[in-house]
Amino acid sequence: MKKRKHKKLPAFFEYGLYTLILLAVLFLVPKFVLEKVLVDGESMENSLFDGESILIEKVSRYFGGPGRFDIVVFHKQAGAQKRTYVKRVIGLPGETVQIIGDTIYINGEVLKEEFGKEPMVYSGLAASPLTLGEDEYFVLGDNRTVSADSRSESVGVVKYSELDGVAFFRIYPLGRFGGIK
């Protein structure tokens, strides 16, 4: 039996191929799979704190949207610049959300949740029943007295196309390293 000899590529082609693969990974992974995001502000306390680094996964958004209580990262246009937000999903597409006092209602039923740091004092856009479209989500920060979220006109409901990913892991600070609830 004859051994087959493999033809070896010239070194510069081989290194060029490795460079292309590395560049593809560096650009495609953050765009379509995983991305590191820095938490900016106090709106998600006590779940996430200002300055923490988190990982978001982007794959699940291609197989359906986030679920209730998932922490999502999304972008909204604020004048000439895009602003990044980190909030918790409360209302899902097609649902009707209303906030009376500090109680959240989904389709007329009280939503049982324990994420709010302080009782809400502002209902904003959800003071009256707000029915979400088929591609819209209602989000709130956990620190609801300081959070700009779906209650405010500057943020409003979040469209599916504005979602960037779902937060699932804290990588910094090391003392809080681990999964996110």
Side-chain angles (χ1 to χ4, degrees):
M1 246 183 158
K2 285 186 180 181
K3 284 192 177 182
R4 217 176 195 191
K5 287 188 177 183
H6 292 286
K7 208 173 195 183
K8 190 167 181 177
L9 290 174
F12 65 93
F13 282 127
E14 191 172 338
Y15 292 130
L17 179 62
Y18 292 144
T19 302
L20 284 175
I21 291 170
L22 178 64
L23 289 174
V25 167
L26 288 175
F27 289 105
L28 294 178
V29 167
K31 177 123 176 101
F32 297 107
V33 182
L34 288 176
E35 185 178 353
K36 181 182 93 101
V37 175
L38 182 67
V39 176
D40 183 19
E42 302 170 340
S43 71
M44 285 302 293
E45 290 180 359
N46 286 334
S47 298
L48 300 171
F49 291 88
D50 185 41
E52 289 187 337
S53 290
I54 59 174
L55 286 178
I56 63 171
E57 62 84 11
K58 299 179 171 197
V59 176
S60 65
R61 75 179 295 268
Y62 298 106
F63 302 102
R68 188 177 330 276
F69 304 133
D70 282 348
I71 296 175
V72 295
V73 174
F74 61 96
H75 294 86
K76 285 277 190 175
Q77 199 68 33
Q81 73 184 136
K82 240 182 191 178
R83 177 132 193 258
T84 301
Y85 293 89
V86 180
K87 305 293 177 198
R88 189 174 301 278
V89 173
I90 300 297
L92 300 171
E95 293 181 334
T96 299
V97 180
Q98 185 173 17
I99 300 173
I100 300 172
D102 65 351
T103 304
I104 303 167
Y105 294 87
I106 302 291
N107 297 330
E109 302 286 326
V110 174
L111 178 66
K112 296 194 182 327
E113 58 96 31
E114 299 175 3
F115 297 105
K117 179 178 177 182
E118 302 286 334
M120 275 185 286
V121 294
Y122 171 70
S123 300
L125 296 175
S128 299
L130 174 66
T131 301
L132 302 171
E134 289 305 311
D135 69 336
E136 295 178 332
Y137 296 85
F138 189 89
V139 298
L140 292 175
D142 288 355
N143 190 357
R144 297 182 180 155
T145 57
V146 300
S147 180
D149 47 41
S150 288
R151 296 172 294 166
S152 65
E153 288 189 29
S154 64
V155 177
V157 297
V158 178
K159 295 201 175 293
Y160 177 81
S161 61
E162 296 168 322
L163 291 173
D164 210 19
V166 176
F168 74 98
F169 203 81
R170 182 182 298 105
I171 56 176
Y172 182 82
L174 294 178
R176 288 179 43 91
F177 185 84
I180 299 172
K181 293 181 183 179

